[in-house]
Amino acid sequence: MNPLTPLLQNNSLAIVDGALATELERRGCDLNDALWSAKVLMEQPELIRQVHLDYFNAGADIAITASYQATVEGFAKRGLNREQALDLMKKSVQIAQSARDEFWSNEANRVNRTRPLVAGSVGPYGAFLADGSEYRGDYKLTEQELINFHRPRVEALIASGADLLACETIPCLIEAQALVKLLGEFPNASAWFTFSAKDDEHICNGEKIADCAAYLNQFEQVAAIGINCTSPLYIPSLIREIKKNSDKPIIVYPNSGEVYDPVTNTWHGETSCDAFGHQSKTWFENGASLIGGCCRTTPDHIREVKNLTNA
Ligand SMILES: [Zn+2]
C-alpha cells in the first residue's frame, strides 16, 4: 500500500517540512563543512530533533530525515567506518521518529491531523561529490554503479523503520532509474521521487520532466512524483507536465525563491513566507497534493502553506 494514502485520504493536501540546514544555522550550528549533517548527527542530535518538532508544530505531516548527505564513502572522509556510517543514517531516522512520537503523544496535536510520517532522505550521488554536479547530473557512472552507491543507505533507512524514502533532488533520469531498480530489492518499501529542474519543462540534466514522470509511473513502489530544490517560478508548469504523464500523487517542495550564487556561496533576492504561501496555493490548484519547502525555507513558510491551503 502507498504509505501516503492515509494522509491524502483525510486531507486533499499533505504538508511536507522545510529546510533543515537553515534552521540549524539559525540555532548557531556552523554548517560550513561539506559533511555538516554527519557533524550535527554526531555532536548535536537534539538540535535536529528540535527542528523536526518545530516543523510538526508548524503543520508538517512529513519529516524528511537528516541523511541527505549521509553516505558510507562520505562519512569515511571524516574517519567513520562503514558500521558507524550506517549507524548515523539509522540515527537520523530515530531522531525524526522520536520528534514525531513526542508530537503525536500530545492529544491536542491530534485534532484534525493524521499521524505524521518519517521520510528517509536519499540525496543524489552529486551531493556526495559536493562539486556542483548535484545540480547538473553529469555523472560518469553507469546505472549499476549508481545502484551500488545507493544500496547501503537505502538498506539502512528501510531497516530503521522509515515510513518511506525521499529520493530527492535527482538531477538526471539515469539516477531515478537506478534508484527505482534498487527499490525493487526491497519489495515492501516505497519512495517518492523528486527531481531538481532547470526551467519549467526540464530537469537539471536536460531530460523532460514529462518523460521522467511517465517512466516512474509504471512502478508500484513509487509513492509520489515531483520536484524539489527548484525555483518556485517553474513549479506550476512542471506540475502540469507531471500530471499529464502520471496518475501518482504529485509532490513539490521548492526553494524559498532566493537565488544561490555558487561563486560567493551566498543567497540573493528578496523572499517572504507570505509570497511562498500564496504561490503554494497555485501549486495546489495545479494538482500538487504534497507541498513543502526546500533550501532557505523555515517553519514560517510551512505555516503559511498550511494556512493558505486550508483557507
Ligand atoms: Zn534545496
Side-chain angles (χ1 to χ4, degrees), residues 203-232:
I203 64 171
C204 283
N205 191 48
E207 296 93 335
K208 284 192 164 149
I209 186 66
D211 295 337
C212 299
Y215 170 76
L216 288 172
N217 195 48
Q218 346 160 39
F219 298 93
E220 190 86 21
Q221 289 174 277
V222 175
I225 301 172
I227 303 290
N228 77 297
C229 215
T230 293
S231 166

PDB file of all heavy atoms in Angstrom, residues 203-232:
ATOM      1  N   ILE A 203      14.408  18.721 -16.252  1.00  0.00           N
ATOM      2  CA  ILE A 203      15.180  18.539 -15.030  1.00  0.00           C
ATOM      3  C   ILE A 203      16.610  19.026 -15.295  1.00  0.00           C
ATOM      4  O   ILE A 203      16.971  19.337 -16.437  1.00  0.00           O
ATOM      5  CB  ILE A 203      15.123  17.076 -14.525  1.00  0.00           C
ATOM      6  CG1 ILE A 203      15.770  16.100 -15.513  1.00  0.00           C
ATOM      7  CG2 ILE A 203      13.667  16.663 -14.267  1.00  0.00           C
ATOM      8  CD1 ILE A 203      15.938  14.684 -14.957  1.00  0.00           C
ATOM      9  N   CYS A 204      17.417  19.083 -14.240  1.00  0.00           N
ATOM     10  CA  CYS A 204      18.715  19.780 -14.364  1.00  0.00           C
ATOM     11  C   CYS A 204      19.619  19.230 -15.462  1.00  0.00           C
ATOM     12  O   CYS A 204      20.332  19.977 -16.118  1.00  0.00           O
ATOM     13  CB  CYS A 204      19.436  19.749 -13.020  1.00  0.00           C
ATOM     14  SG  CYS A 204      18.746  20.957 -11.873  1.00  0.00           S
ATOM     15  N   ASN A 205      19.604  17.926 -15.677  1.00  0.00           N
ATOM     16  CA  ASN A 205      20.470  17.342 -16.700  1.00  0.00           C
ATOM     17  C   ASN A 205      19.889  17.488 -18.100  1.00  0.00           C
ATOM     18  O   ASN A 205      20.534  17.103 -19.078  1.00  0.00           O
ATOM     19  CB  ASN A 205      20.711  15.867 -16.361  1.00  0.00           C
ATOM     20  CG  ASN A 205      21.805  15.231 -17.191  1.00  0.00           C
ATOM     21  OD1 ASN A 205      22.887  15.796 -17.334  1.00  0.00           O
ATOM     22  ND2 ASN A 205      21.529  14.069 -17.753  1.00  0.00           N
ATOM     23  N   GLY A 206      18.667  17.988 -18.229  1.00  0.00           N
ATOM     24  CA  GLY A 206      18.113  18.268 -19.550  1.00  0.00           C
ATOM     25  C   GLY A 206      16.970  17.368 -20.000  1.00  0.00           C
ATOM     26  O   GLY A 206      16.301  17.668 -20.987  1.00  0.00           O
ATOM     27  N   GLU A 207      16.739  16.239 -19.291  1.00  0.00           N
ATOM     28  CA  GLU A 207      15.618  15.385 -19.693  1.00  0.00           C
ATOM     29  C   GLU A 207      14.293  16.095 -19.404  1.00  0.00           C
ATOM     30  O   GLU A 207      14.203  16.909 -18.481  1.00  0.00           O
ATOM     31  CB  GLU A 207      15.645  14.044 -18.932  1.00  0.00           C
ATOM     32  CG  GLU A 207      16.859  13.172 -19.239  1.00  0.00           C
ATOM     33  CD  GLU A 207      18.006  13.411 -18.256  1.00  0.00           C
ATOM     34  OE1 GLU A 207      18.082  14.510 -17.657  1.00  0.00           O
ATOM     35  OE2 GLU A 207      18.838  12.497 -18.111  1.00  0.00           O
ATOM     36  N   LYS A 208      13.277  15.737 -20.181  1.00  0.00           N
ATOM     37  CA  LYS A 208      11.958  16.329 -19.933  1.00  0.00           C
ATOM     38  C   LYS A 208      11.341  15.718 -18.678  1.00  0.00           C
ATOM     39  O   LYS A 208      11.351  14.497 -18.516  1.00  0.00           O
ATOM     40  CB  LYS A 208      11.035  16.049 -21.120  1.00  0.00           C
ATOM     41  CG  LYS A 208      11.342  16.915 -22.314  1.00  0.00           C
ATOM     42  CD  LYS A 208      10.232  16.821 -23.348  1.00  0.00           C
ATOM     43  CE  LYS A 208      10.362  17.975 -24.319  1.00  0.00           C
ATOM     44  NZ  LYS A 208       9.909  17.654 -25.664  1.00  0.00           N
ATOM     45  N   ILE A 209      10.773  16.559 -17.828  1.00  0.00           N
ATOM     46  CA  ILE A 209      10.102  16.051 -16.628  1.00  0.00           C
ATOM     47  C   ILE A 209       8.955  15.128 -17.042  1.00  0.00           C
ATOM     48  O   ILE A 209       8.649  14.145 -16.354  1.00  0.00           O
ATOM     49  CB  ILE A 209       9.609  17.201 -15.706  1.00  0.00           C
ATOM     50  CG1 ILE A 209       9.053  16.655 -14.392  1.00  0.00           C
ATOM     51  CG2 ILE A 209       8.558  18.064 -16.384  1.00  0.00           C
ATOM     52  CD1 ILE A 209      10.029  15.990 -13.479  1.00  0.00           C
ATOM     53  N   ALA A 210       8.361  15.402 -18.199  1.00  0.00           N
ATOM     54  CA  ALA A 210       7.275  14.560 -18.701  1.00  0.00           C
ATOM     55  C   ALA A 210       7.749  13.119 -18.877  1.00  0.00           C
ATOM     56  O   ALA A 210       7.051  12.169 -18.492  1.00  0.00           O
ATOM     57  CB  ALA A 210       6.763  15.110 -20.029  1.00  0.00           C
ATOM     58  N   ASP A 211       8.943  12.943 -19.438  1.00  0.00           N
ATOM     59  CA  ASP A 211       9.479  11.586 -19.658  1.00  0.00           C
ATOM     60  C   ASP A 211       9.830  10.908 -18.333  1.00  0.00           C
ATOM     61  O   ASP A 211       9.645   9.698 -18.162  1.00  0.00           O
ATOM     62  CB  ASP A 211      10.721  11.647 -20.555  1.00  0.00           C
ATOM     63  CG  ASP A 211      10.375  12.139 -21.959  1.00  0.00           C
ATOM     64  OD1 ASP A 211       9.199  12.007 -22.360  1.00  0.00           O
ATOM     65  OD2 ASP A 211      11.278  12.674 -22.642  1.00  0.00           O
ATOM     66  N   CYS A 212      10.356  11.682 -17.402  1.00  0.00           N
ATOM     67  CA  CYS A 212      10.707  11.126 -16.087  1.00  0.00           C
ATOM     68  C   CYS A 212       9.443  10.640 -15.373  1.00  0.00           C
ATOM     69  O   CYS A 212       9.422   9.556 -14.779  1.00  0.00           O
ATOM     70  CB  CYS A 212      11.396  12.185 -15.227  1.00  0.00           C
ATOM     71  SG  CYS A 212      12.925  12.793 -15.949  1.00  0.00           S
ATOM     72  N   ALA A 213       8.377  11.449 -15.447  1.00  0.00           N
ATOM     73  CA  ALA A 213       7.128  11.086 -14.780  1.00  0.00           C
ATOM     74  C   ALA A 213       6.514   9.851 -15.431  1.00  0.00           C
ATOM     75  O   ALA A 213       6.062   8.927 -14.741  1.00  0.00           O
ATOM     76  CB  ALA A 213       6.150  12.255 -14.834  1.00  0.00           C
ATOM     77  N   ALA A 214       6.532   9.800 -16.757  1.00  0.00           N
ATOM     78  CA  ALA A 214       5.955   8.652 -17.462  1.00  0.00           C
ATOM     79  C   ALA A 214       6.715   7.377 -17.115  1.00  0.00           C
ATOM     80  O   ALA A 214       6.128   6.318 -16.914  1.00  0.00           O
ATOM     81  CB  ALA A 214       5.994   8.894 -18.973  1.00  0.00           C
ATOM     82  N   TYR A 215       8.033   7.485 -17.005  1.00  0.00           N
ATOM     83  CA  TYR A 215       8.843   6.314 -16.664  1.00  0.00           C
ATOM     84  C   TYR A 215       8.499   5.812 -15.255  1.00  0.00           C
ATOM     85  O   TYR A 215       8.217   4.631 -15.046  1.00  0.00           O
ATOM     86  CB  TYR A 215      10.336   6.659 -16.762  1.00  0.00           C
ATOM     87  CG  TYR A 215      11.225   5.579 -16.203  1.00  0.00           C
ATOM     88  CD1 TYR A 215      11.458   4.404 -16.920  1.00  0.00           C
ATOM     89  CD2 TYR A 215      11.786   5.698 -14.936  1.00  0.00           C
ATOM     90  CE1 TYR A 215      12.236   3.387 -16.386  1.00  0.00           C
ATOM     91  CE2 TYR A 215      12.569   4.694 -14.397  1.00  0.00           C
ATOM     92  CZ  TYR A 215      12.792   3.538 -15.122  1.00  0.00           C
ATOM     93  OH  TYR A 215      13.549   2.531 -14.585  1.00  0.00           O
ATOM     94  N   LEU A 216       8.502   6.718 -14.279  1.00  0.00           N
ATOM     95  CA  LEU A 216       8.297   6.305 -12.883  1.00  0.00           C
ATOM     96  C   LEU A 216       6.873   5.835 -12.625  1.00  0.00           C
ATOM     97  O   LEU A 216       6.616   5.061 -11.696  1.00  0.00           O
ATOM     98  CB  LEU A 216       8.640   7.466 -11.935  1.00  0.00           C
ATOM     99  CG  LEU A 216      10.127   7.788 -11.813  1.00  0.00           C
ATOM    100  CD1 LEU A 216      10.329   9.063 -11.003  1.00  0.00           C
ATOM    101  CD2 LEU A 216      10.887   6.626 -11.152  1.00  0.00           C
ATOM    102  N   ASN A 217       5.948   6.306 -13.432  1.00  0.00           N
ATOM    103  CA  ASN A 217       4.538   5.982 -13.217  1.00  0.00           C
ATOM    104  C   ASN A 217       4.265   4.479 -13.248  1.00  0.00           C
ATOM    105  O   ASN A 217       3.307   4.000 -12.653  1.00  0.00           O
ATOM    106  CB  ASN A 217       3.679   6.701 -14.270  1.00  0.00           C
ATOM    107  CG  ASN A 217       2.217   6.710 -13.896  1.00  0.00           C
ATOM    108  OD1 ASN A 217       1.862   7.038 -12.778  1.00  0.00           O
ATOM    109  ND2 ASN A 217       1.370   6.315 -14.836  1.00  0.00           N
ATOM    110  N   GLN A 218       5.128   3.718 -13.941  1.00  0.00           N
ATOM    111  CA  GLN A 218       4.876   2.276 -14.076  1.00  0.00           C
ATOM    112  C   GLN A 218       5.167   1.491 -12.801  1.00  0.00           C
ATOM    113  O   GLN A 218       4.836   0.313 -12.731  1.00  0.00           O
ATOM    114  CB  GLN A 218       5.726   1.642 -15.174  1.00  0.00           C
ATOM    115  CG  GLN A 218       6.418   2.564 -16.128  1.00  0.00           C
ATOM    116  CD  GLN A 218       7.588   1.881 -16.831  1.00  0.00           C
ATOM    117  OE1 GLN A 218       7.504   0.710 -17.184  1.00  0.00           O
ATOM    118  NE2 GLN A 218       8.673   2.612 -17.009  1.00  0.00           N
ATOM    119  N   PHE A 219       5.840   2.089 -11.830  1.00  0.00           N
ATOM    120  CA  PHE A 219       6.304   1.306 -10.683  1.00  0.00           C
ATOM    121  C   PHE A 219       5.396   1.469  -9.466  1.00  0.00           C
ATOM    122  O   PHE A 219       5.169   2.577  -8.979  1.00  0.00           O
ATOM    123  CB  PHE A 219       7.737   1.701 -10.316  1.00  0.00           C
ATOM    124  CG  PHE A 219       8.728   1.426 -11.411  1.00  0.00           C
ATOM    125  CD1 PHE A 219       9.056   2.412 -12.331  1.00  0.00           C
ATOM    126  CD2 PHE A 219       9.303   0.162 -11.535  1.00  0.00           C
ATOM    127  CE1 PHE A 219       9.955   2.156 -13.356  1.00  0.00           C
ATOM    128  CE2 PHE A 219      10.208  -0.099 -12.562  1.00  0.00           C
ATOM    129  CZ  PHE A 219      10.533   0.897 -13.479  1.00  0.00           C
ATOM    130  N   GLU A 220       4.934   0.311  -8.997  1.00  0.00           N
ATOM    131  CA  GLU A 220       4.059   0.247  -7.825  1.00  0.00           C
ATOM    132  C   GLU A 220       4.684   0.913  -6.596  1.00  0.00           C
ATOM    133  O   GLU A 220       3.998   1.559  -5.810  1.00  0.00           O
ATOM    134  CB  GLU A 220       3.819  -1.244  -7.515  1.00  0.00           C
ATOM    135  CG  GLU A 220       2.769  -1.527  -6.488  1.00  0.00           C
ATOM    136  CD  GLU A 220       1.375  -1.582  -7.100  1.00  0.00           C
ATOM    137  OE1 GLU A 220       1.257  -1.794  -8.325  1.00  0.00           O
ATOM    138  OE2 GLU A 220       0.437  -1.407  -6.329  1.00  0.00           O
ATOM    139  N   GLN A 221       5.985   0.752  -6.428  1.00  0.00           N
ATOM    140  CA  GLN A 221       6.652   1.244  -5.213  1.00  0.00           C
ATOM    141  C   GLN A 221       6.890   2.761  -5.211  1.00  0.00           C
ATOM    142  O   GLN A 221       7.334   3.308  -4.206  1.00  0.00           O
ATOM    143  CB  GLN A 221       7.994   0.525  -5.026  1.00  0.00           C
ATOM    144  CG  GLN A 221       7.836  -0.936  -4.613  1.00  0.00           C
ATOM    145  CD  GLN A 221       9.173  -1.649  -4.593  1.00  0.00           C
ATOM    146  OE1 GLN A 221       9.649  -2.111  -5.617  1.00  0.00           O
ATOM    147  NE2 GLN A 221       9.790  -1.715  -3.420  1.00  0.00           N
ATOM    148  N   VAL A 222       6.596   3.410  -6.316  1.00  0.00           N
ATOM    149  CA  VAL A 222       6.739   4.873  -6.375  1.00  0.00           C
ATOM    150  C   VAL A 222       5.483   5.505  -5.766  1.00  0.00           C
ATOM    151  O   VAL A 222       4.385   5.386  -6.298  1.00  0.00           O
ATOM    152  CB  VAL A 222       6.954   5.355  -7.825  1.00  0.00           C
ATOM    153  CG1 VAL A 222       6.967   6.880  -7.890  1.00  0.00           C
ATOM    154  CG2 VAL A 222       8.248   4.777  -8.385  1.00  0.00           C
ATOM    155  N   ALA A 223       5.670   6.163  -4.610  1.00  0.00           N
ATOM    156  CA  ALA A 223       4.528   6.688  -3.855  1.00  0.00           C
ATOM    157  C   ALA A 223       4.077   8.048  -4.352  1.00  0.00           C
ATOM    158  O   ALA A 223       2.911   8.414  -4.204  1.00  0.00           O
ATOM    159  CB  ALA A 223       4.898   6.776  -2.374  1.00  0.00           C
ATOM    160  N   ALA A 224       4.986   8.811  -4.917  1.00  0.00           N
ATOM    161  CA  ALA A 224       4.663  10.147  -5.437  1.00  0.00           C
ATOM    162  C   ALA A 224       5.803  10.584  -6.348  1.00  0.00           C
ATOM    163  O   ALA A 224       6.924  10.084  -6.238  1.00  0.00           O
ATOM    164  CB  ALA A 224       4.496  11.159  -4.298  1.00  0.00           C
ATOM    165  N   ILE A 225       5.486  11.509  -7.257  1.00  0.00           N
ATOM    166  CA  ILE A 225       6.485  12.029  -8.198  1.00  0.00           C
ATOM    167  C   ILE A 225       6.435  13.553  -8.125  1.00  0.00           C
ATOM    168  O   ILE A 225       5.348  14.130  -8.006  1.00  0.00           O
ATOM    169  CB  ILE A 225       6.181  11.576  -9.646  1.00  0.00           C
ATOM    170  CG1 ILE A 225       6.157  10.048  -9.740  1.00  0.00           C
ATOM    171  CG2 ILE A 225       7.202  12.154 -10.638  1.00  0.00           C
ATOM    172  CD1 ILE A 225       5.680   9.507 -11.088  1.00  0.00           C
ATOM    173  N   GLY A 226       7.615  14.197  -8.193  1.00  0.00           N
ATOM    174  CA  GLY A 226       7.563  15.653  -8.137  1.00  0.00           C
ATOM    175  C   GLY A 226       8.896  16.340  -8.288  1.00  0.00           C
ATOM    176  O   GLY A 226       9.830  15.820  -8.905  1.00  0.00           O
ATOM    177  N   ILE A 227       8.963  17.519  -7.665  1.00  0.00           N
ATOM    178  CA  ILE A 227      10.089  18.448  -7.833  1.00  0.00           C
ATOM    179  C   ILE A 227      10.495  18.987  -6.468  1.00  0.00           C
ATOM    180  O   ILE A 227       9.630  19.293  -5.651  1.00  0.00           O
ATOM    181  CB  ILE A 227       9.648  19.669  -8.685  1.00  0.00           C
ATOM    182  CG1 ILE A 227       9.105  19.234 -10.044  1.00  0.00           C
ATOM    183  CG2 ILE A 227      10.790  20.677  -8.837  1.00  0.00           C
ATOM    184  CD1 ILE A 227      10.131  18.696 -11.000  1.00  0.00           C
ATOM    185  N   ASN A 228      11.799  19.103  -6.231  1.00  0.00           N
ATOM    186  CA  ASN A 228      12.258  19.856  -5.064  1.00  0.00           C
ATOM    187  C   ASN A 228      13.494  20.654  -5.444  1.00  0.00           C
ATOM    188  O   ASN A 228      14.021  20.518  -6.550  1.00  0.00           O
ATOM    189  CB  ASN A 228      12.538  18.927  -3.861  1.00  0.00           C
ATOM    190  CG  ASN A 228      13.843  18.178  -3.985  1.00  0.00           C
ATOM    191  OD1 ASN A 228      14.017  17.369  -4.896  1.00  0.00           O
ATOM    192  ND2 ASN A 228      14.772  18.429  -3.078  1.00  0.00           N
ATOM    193  N   CYS A 229      13.939  21.519  -4.521  1.00  0.00           N
ATOM    194  CA  CYS A 229      15.170  22.286  -4.708  1.00  0.00           C
ATOM    195  C   CYS A 229      15.212  23.005  -6.054  1.00  0.00           C
ATOM    196  O   CYS A 229      16.199  22.958  -6.769  1.00  0.00           O
ATOM    197  CB  CYS A 229      16.386  21.374  -4.555  1.00  0.00           C
ATOM    198  SG  CYS A 229      17.764  22.246  -3.780  1.00  0.00           S
ATOM    199  N   THR A 230      14.150  23.697  -6.364  1.00  0.00           N
ATOM    200  CA  THR A 230      13.983  24.355  -7.666  1.00  0.00           C
ATOM    201  C   THR A 230      13.286  25.692  -7.402  1.00  0.00           C
ATOM    202  O   THR A 230      12.573  25.830  -6.404  1.00  0.00           O
ATOM    203  CB  THR A 230      13.120  23.429  -8.571  1.00  0.00           C
ATOM    204  OG1 THR A 230      13.879  22.251  -8.859  1.00  0.00           O
ATOM    205  CG2 THR A 230      12.692  24.094  -9.864  1.00  0.00           C
ATOM    206  N   SER A 231      13.476  26.638  -8.297  1.00  0.00           N
ATOM    207  CA  SER A 231      12.819  27.939  -8.124  1.00  0.00           C
ATOM    208  C   SER A 231      11.301  27.782  -8.142  1.00  0.00           C
ATOM    209  O   SER A 231      10.757  27.071  -8.988  1.00  0.00           O
ATOM    210  CB  SER A 231      13.232  28.885  -9.252  1.00  0.00           C
ATOM    211  OG  SER A 231      12.356  29.995  -9.260  1.00  0.00           O
ATOM    212  N   PRO A 232      10.610  28.474  -7.238  1.00  0.00           N
ATOM    213  CA  PRO A 232       9.140  28.402  -7.220  1.00  0.00           C
ATOM    214  C   PRO A 232       8.517  28.805  -8.559  1.00  0.00           C
ATOM    215  O   PRO A 232       7.430  28.345  -8.904  1.00  0.00           O
ATOM    216  CB  PRO A 232       8.748  29.415  -6.136  1.00  0.00           C
ATOM    217  CG  PRO A 232       9.947  29.582  -5.286  1.00  0.00           C
ATOM    218  CD  PRO A 232      11.134  29.324  -6.161  1.00  0.00           C
TER     219      PRO A 232
END
